[in-house]
Amino acid sequence: MENINTDKETYGAAALMSPELRELVEKQLLAEFPHYKLNKTNLQFDWSGSANEGHQMQHPLGIIASFSGILVLDENKQIVADGWMEFILEPDFFLAYWDYITIREGKKKLSEKQMPGIPKHVWKQIPIELREKYSAKRLKG
């Protein structure tokens, strides 16, 4: 049997996700950073303070949930972003995105998404046939 790391000290509530699902989610969340004016490389997720915010589903790679308390660190272990992720899961489509996010440099906030909802750059990735289903979750403005 494969040894799945479910260490709650390391992954907090995100220990629900398999390593493969966590890797996919991290890749998708990292891909959003240019939209929030963060263009650093060698970033690392810290899931240890993550909390499950109640919305969870079975993904083919494991359990996915809306997690808050996600930190992203640079190579010097400094926090460059923190936030709360949300996701869309359909039979042939999966996308994790930042529902809330703050980009930081030291104690200074560089950018912030304070309103929940699907932002324009994420909306463009949703297949047209699914958009009506998610239109109420679209970020206004």
Side-chain angles (χ1 to χ4, degrees):
M1 184 172 152
E2 183 184 344
N3 182 16
I4 295 177
N5 188 346
T6 58
D7 179 359
K8 292 225 186 280
E9 276 186 38
T10 302
Y11 296 111
L16 287 172
M17 291 191 287
S18 68
E20 296 81 10
L21 182 54
R22 195 167 28 256
E23 184 178 320
L24 174 60
V25 167
E26 289 179 2
K27 180 180 173 189
Q28 291 182 344
L29 294 176
L30 285 170
E32 277 197 79
F33 280 150
H35 297 281
Y36 298 108
K37 301 184 178 23
L38 179 60
N39 295 305
K40 292 187 174 195
T41 56
N42 300 322
L43 297 175
Q44 176 182 334
F45 280 74
D46 178 345
W47 294 94
S48 62
S50 64
N52 183 337
E53 296 299 336
H55 171 205
Q56 76 179 41
M57 296 175 77
Q58 184 66 46
H59 181 280
L61 295 174
I63 298 171
I64 183 70
S66 301
F67 294 110
S68 62
I70 303 166
L71 301 177
V72 182
L73 312 174
D74 67 12
E75 62 274 357
N76 299 316
K77 303 290 186 222
Q78 299 300 305
I79 298 171
V80 295
D82 61 273
W84 178 329
M85 62 156 279
E86 186 54 87
F87 64 92
I88 296 170
L89 177 60
E90 293 292 334
D92 295 317
F93 182 76
F94 173 72
L95 185 62
Y97 63 93
W98 293 105
D99 211 21
Y100 299 94
I101 186 160
T102 302
I103 305 299
R104 304 177 184 284
E105 189 172 299
K107 295 189 185 302
K108 181 180 167 193
K109 288 182 185 178
L110 299 181
S111 72
E112 195 166 32
K113 178 181 183 263
Q114 295 179 309
M115 297 295 293
I118 301 170
K120 194 178 292 185
H121 66 271
V122 172
W123 186 256
K124 290 177 184 174
Q125 297 175 64
I126 299 172
I128 291 170
E129 62 274 12
L130 295 176
R131 289 183 183 175
E132 185 177 332
K133 181 176 180 178
Y134 291 96
S135 62
K137 292 186 175 193
R138 193 171 183 186
L139 188 62
K140 310 295 183 244

